[in-house]
Amino acid sequence: GNSVTQMEGPVTLSEEAFLTINCTYTATGYPSLFWYVQYPGEGLQLLLKATKADDKGSNKGFEATYRKETTSFHLEKGSVQVSDSAVYFCALSEGPGGSYIPTFGRGTSLIVHP
Amino acid sequence: DGGITQSPKYLFRKEGQNVTLSCEQNLNHDAMYWYRQDPGQGLRLIYYSQIVNDFQKGDIAEGYSVSREKKESFPLTVTSAQKNPTAFYLCASKTSGGGGIQYFGAGTRLSVL
């Protein structure tokens, strides 16, 4: 079956530091890949997505590239802010004809200090 | 504005009581989902529905029940058989077809009195 593995947190950084959160996946076929973000006490919201190999998703300074050869979708940001403190979830969803059930990683907590 | 509305935001359950969590969407999505989130944990799928009048059990369906009588609504009942219901519950819908984006509600926090 499908699976998503994220690095364990919490990840603690100082403001303006470089961020990487690793994500690798196992899937049949050609899934779409996602990063969702959850702020304290809220639901998840889409941060970025990529639908095919070598696609780069980007939003709010965050980027992730769909690497089929390494089955990875690592999240990066060049300079984090305190407001980026949240839990980040990597997820995959199969293409047409595939499962309706998205697969989520366990989430990685990011704490950014001033 | 289109979105997912969950209510109430906070809910308290007494011993032996059934409680129902509401989830309404105006995004015209066919697929809807219920997840449970425990502190420091990821999401665990309770139930999902691909279309009106049809739903399937997820990984932790025991002690929960759902209905899908309307496209817009997917309520979750936490029954007295669920012995450890304290958690954060999230409802989501998904754009059609595979590879779709999920849209989440703001969640309901359920506690036991």
Side-chain angles (χ1 to χ4, degrees):
Chain A
N2 298 336
S3 67
V4 174
T5 303
Q6 293 181 232
M7 61 188 291
E8 296 217 3
V11 173
T12 304
L13 296 172
S14 298
E15 204 164 26
E16 299 183 4
F18 184 85
L19 168 71
T20 300
I21 300 178
N22 291 338
C23 171
T24 56
Y25 68 91
T26 302
T28 55
Y30 302 95
S32 293
L33 301 175
F34 306 83
W35 278 101
Y36 289 86
V37 59
Q38 184 180 30
Y39 298 102
E42 298 183 9
L44 281 69
Q45 56 186 273
L46 179 70
L47 181 60
L48 53 84
K49 67 177 281 190
T51 57
K52 62 183 187 296
D54 299 326
D55 266 4
K56 177 186 284 189
S58 61
N59 186 25
K60 300 180 182 179
F62 290 89
E63 293 182 339
T65 301
Y66 190 142
R67 301 287 188 200
K68 190 166 172 58
E69 63 277 12
T70 54
T71 62
S72 64
F73 193 54
H74 304 322
L75 182 68
E76 297 182 336
K77 187 175 186 184
S79 175
V80 293
Q81 305 301 311
V82 172
S83 57
D84 293 327
S85 298
V87 180
Y88 293 81
F89 291 89
C90 185
L92 71 81
S93 188
E94 291 185 2
S99 170
Y100 273 79
I101 306 173
T103 302
F104 285 85
R106 292 174 60 89
T108 302
S109 175
L110 170 65
I111 301 168
V112 181
H113 293 294
Chain B
D1 278 339
I4 307 275
T5 302
Q6 288 188 242
S7 62
K9 190 168 178 65
Y10 299 97
L11 187 58
F12 297 90
R13 194 190 86 166
K14 294 180 181 178
E15 193 83 26
Q17 185 183 43
N18 294 350
V19 293
T20 297
L21 284 61
S22 171
C23 177
E24 302 281 330
Q25 56 108 350
N26 60 3
L27 298 168
N28 201 34
H29 292 163
D30 286 317
M32 297 187 74
Y33 306 79
W34 274 105
Y35 294 94
R36 170 175 171 148
Q37 189 176 31
D38 293 283
Q41 301 295 311
L43 303 176
R44 290 190 289 171
L45 182 65
I46 305 173
Y47 269 97
Y48 66 102
S49 169
Q50 297 179 11
I51 200 164
V52 174
N53 293 322
D54 186 53
F55 50 83
Q56 285 78 40
K57 293 180 179 180
D59 300 318
I60 57 164
E62 186 174 348
Y64 301 96
S65 65
V66 294
S67 62
R68 187 85 188 276
E69 297 175 1
K70 297 187 300 181
K71 189 174 188 177
E72 301 80 17
S73 179
F74 191 41
L76 173 74
T77 296
V78 183
T79 74
S80 57
Q82 173 49 247
K83 298 306 180 187
N84 182 25
T86 298
F88 190 53
Y89 290 86
L90 287 166
C91 179
S93 68
K94 189 167 78 71
T95 55
S96 61
I101 297 168
Q102 280 191 303
Y103 292 81
F104 286 81
T108 293
R109 190 167 298 281
L110 176 62
S111 302
V112 176
L113 287 176

